[in-house]
Amino acid sequence: GQQLNQSPQSMFIQEGEDVSMNCTSSSIFNTWLWYKQEPGEGPVLLIALYKAGELTSNGRLTAQFGITRKDSFLNISASIPSDVGIYFCAGRNANAGKSTFGDGTTLTVKP
Amino acid sequence: EAGVVQSPRYKIIEKKQPVAFWCNPISGHNTLYWYLQNLGQGPELLIRYENEEAVDDSQLPKDRFSAERLKGVDSTLKIQPAELGDSAVYLCASSLDSGRMDEQFFGPGTRLTVL
């Protein structure tokens, strides 16, 4: 089946630094999604991407849908302590009834 | 407006015991999803309901797992009997309909520990 590889697996950064993480797939997707999950909660959708090459921002977060349709990137600028959590990418095809999730990137921000 | 409600939040049982999880989706959401999330991994879909109909249960281990959404609102996921490997977080999510699948709202999950 389709598998997503997220990297890095974890990140430890200083408050104020920028963060980059990515997600790659062995097959193409028509939709890329980025979620954040905090301890004891379910994932929350951050950004949805629907077109190859698309660049979308949500506050300090920016995500891109890779041209090859096999990858996506998430950047966080000027990180703050509340950015701590696990960031998941997910890919979905148009006719698929479900999204395939990566295994997440755990972000720790030191004040 | 209340989000997706799940109960219990935590459950500890011994292996071979039965267990049930309950989910109440956001009011008006026709599509309901149950996911399994193992430690250090992303969620994996177990079953998707459109109203009361299970439209995708291909990933549900039917020998021990069952689910129902009798009136098309709240839903119950059951495991009988539970095995050690079932220890995980069980997430419920809902969306207005399957056309808005990307706009799923997740509940906080039930953390199951099987001893």
Side-chain angles (χ1 to χ4, degrees):
Chain A
Q2 295 170 318
Q3 288 192 332
L4 298 185
N5 295 309
Q6 272 191 260
S7 66
Q9 189 173 8
S10 60
M11 301 182 75
F12 296 83
I13 63 169
Q14 205 72 36
E15 182 177 1
E17 291 182 356
D18 297 342
V19 172
S20 291
M21 59 188 78
N22 68 80
C23 194
T24 59
S25 170
S26 57
S27 52
I28 65 172
F29 286 108
N30 294 321
T31 299
W32 283 96
L33 308 164
W34 284 93
Y35 293 84
K36 178 187 178 187
Q37 186 174 26
E38 298 184 14
E41 300 296 329
V44 174
L45 181 66
L46 299 173
I47 294 178
L49 302 160
Y50 298 104
K51 187 176 178 181
E54 179 182 358
L55 189 70
T56 298
S57 293
N58 178 5
R60 293 177 296 104
L61 277 63
T62 301
Q64 184 163 23
F65 191 140
I67 292 292
T68 66
R69 295 180 176 267
K70 292 184 177 182
D71 55 9
S72 180
F73 307 88
L74 177 70
N75 295 318
I76 305 173
S77 62
S79 59
I80 59 178
S82 62
D83 289 334
V84 165
I86 305 176
Y87 291 80
F88 290 99
C89 65
R92 190 172 68 82
N93 285 319
N95 298 322
K98 63 179 180 180
S99 298
T100 300
F101 283 79
D103 287 339
T105 292
T106 300
L107 178 64
T108 303
V109 180
K110 303 175 206 174
Chain B
E1 179 182 347
V4 176
V5 178
Q6 290 189 247
S7 69
R9 292 294 308 275
Y10 304 91
K11 188 74 176 179
I12 301 174
I13 61 172
E14 293 189 344
K15 63 181 180 182
K16 300 185 182 180
Q17 294 299 306
V19 64
F21 315 123
W22 178 79
C23 172
N24 196 29
I26 292 173
S27 176
H29 280 197
N30 295 324
T31 307
L32 184 146
Y33 315 76
W34 281 104
Y35 289 87
L36 164 70
Q37 186 175 25
N38 286 306
L39 186 65
Q41 297 182 14
E44 300 172 35
L45 182 70
L46 289 173
I47 189 168
R48 174 168 63 99
Y49 280 94
E50 294 291 342
N51 297 301
E52 66 276 6
E53 182 183 0
V55 295
D56 183 358
D57 63 355
S58 57
Q59 302 303 310
L60 190 73
K62 298 181 182 61
D63 56 336
R64 297 184 299 108
F65 286 65
S66 64
E68 59 184 19
R69 193 186 185 199
L70 294 176
K71 296 183 179 179
V73 181
D74 59 338
S75 175
T76 302
L77 177 69
K78 297 178 182 177
I79 309 175
Q80 182 170 11
E83 297 178 352
L84 294 176
D86 296 331
S87 295
V89 175
Y90 292 83
L91 293 164
C92 179
S94 69
S95 63
L96 274 171
D97 52 49
S98 58
R100 294 177 176 78
M101 188 178 304
D102 300 334
E103 299 166 25
Q104 289 181 45
F105 293 85
F106 284 84
T110 297
R111 181 175 295 277
L112 173 67
T113 301
V114 182
L115 302 176

